[in-house]
């Protein structure tokens, strides 16, 4: 979130910067969560510790679930770049679909919590959550962007929420 904001504040935006930012987001918030989930599912499969992804058919379904998340992240980022070029300057300040950074970050947080607290069934559930988040990424659900608004109290709530989230 902060890299694009910093670039806009410094008036250092460029077309190549936007593409590189999307590529970095794809690797970090698209590919990495999918690979982590697939590796965890494969390990659970070998140990016989998964009910949903067991056996060869289970591994194939696990791969499809993880690949769906990665593919949806790719589509979402491509859609974002295309819409950024096509939208008029006075268009509503919204994201269409869940931002990839939010979906990938949420998957990472859920995995870290599941690993820290030894929640064994998370290996079965998280790939299904990833598919759901992937579908939300490619949806046309409008989500408001964080921009400065006319009402100061809304700006204060936004700033407090962002700072609180990062902390």
């Amino acid at each position: 979130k902060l890299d694009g904001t910093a670039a806009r504040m410094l008036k250092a935006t460029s077309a190549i910067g936007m593409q590189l930012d999307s590529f970095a987001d794809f690797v970090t918030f698209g590919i990495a969560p999918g690979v982590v989930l697939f590796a965890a599912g494969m390990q659970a499969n070998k140990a016989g510790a998964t009910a949903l992804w067991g056996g060869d058919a289970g591994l194939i379904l696990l791969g499809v679930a993880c690949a769906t998340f990665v593919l949806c992240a790719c589509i979402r980022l491509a859609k974002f770049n295309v819409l950024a070029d096509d939208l008029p300057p006075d268009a509503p300040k919204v994201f269409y679909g869940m931002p990839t950074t939010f979906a990938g970050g949420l998957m990472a947080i859920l995995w870290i919590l599941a690993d820290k607290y030894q929640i064994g069934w998370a290996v079965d559930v998280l790939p299904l959550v990833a598919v759901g988040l992937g579908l939300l990424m490619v949806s046309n659900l409008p989500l408001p962007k964080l921009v400065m608004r006319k009402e100061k109290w809304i700006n204060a709530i936004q700033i407090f929420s962002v700072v609180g989230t990062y902390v």
Side-chain angles (χ1 to χ4, degrees):
K1 171 67 185 134
L2 296 179
D3 54 355
T5 303
R8 285 187 292 279
M9 288 175 66
L10 296 171
K11 299 190 184 338
T13 59
S14 68
I16 189 75
M18 187 171 81
Q19 299 300 327
L20 288 172
D21 180 56
S22 288
F23 181 70
D25 287 348
F26 175 58
V27 171
T28 306
F29 299 103
I31 293 175
V35 168
V36 167
L37 288 177
F38 186 73
M42 279 185 51
Q43 188 176 12
N45 182 306
K46 287 181 184 175
T50 177
L52 193 56
W53 313 111
D56 291 339
L59 277 181
I60 291 170
L61 290 174
L62 175 66
V64 168
C66 295
T68 298
F69 181 81
V70 173
L71 183 60
C72 288
C74 181
I75 292 168
R76 166 68 178 87
L77 290 164
K79 182 170 85 170
F80 175 77
N81 288 349
V82 169
L83 286 177
D85 290 338
D86 290 346
L87 290 176
D90 61 340
K93 301 294 185 207
V94 296
F95 290 110
Y96 290 100
M98 179 181 286
T100 305
T101 52
F102 184 80
L106 182 60
M107 288 306 305
I109 289 168
L110 292 173
W111 177 251
I112 290 168
L113 290 173
D115 188 51
K116 177 177 174 65
Y117 295 107
Q118 300 298 311
I119 303 171
W121 51 265
V123 172
D124 285 337
V125 174
L126 286 180
L128 299 174
V129 171
V131 170
L133 291 174
L135 295 175
L136 284 173
M137 282 190 281
V138 297
S139 73
N140 286 324
L141 176 71
L143 298 170
K145 289 184 178 182
L146 294 176
V147 295
M148 295 308 279
R149 312 232 187 245
K150 292 179 185 175
E151 298 85 5
K152 292 185 190 248
W153 66 273
I154 293 177
N155 291 331
I157 291 172
Q158 284 185 159
I159 291 168
F160 179 75
S161 298
V162 169
V163 170
T165 300
Y166 280 105
V167 169

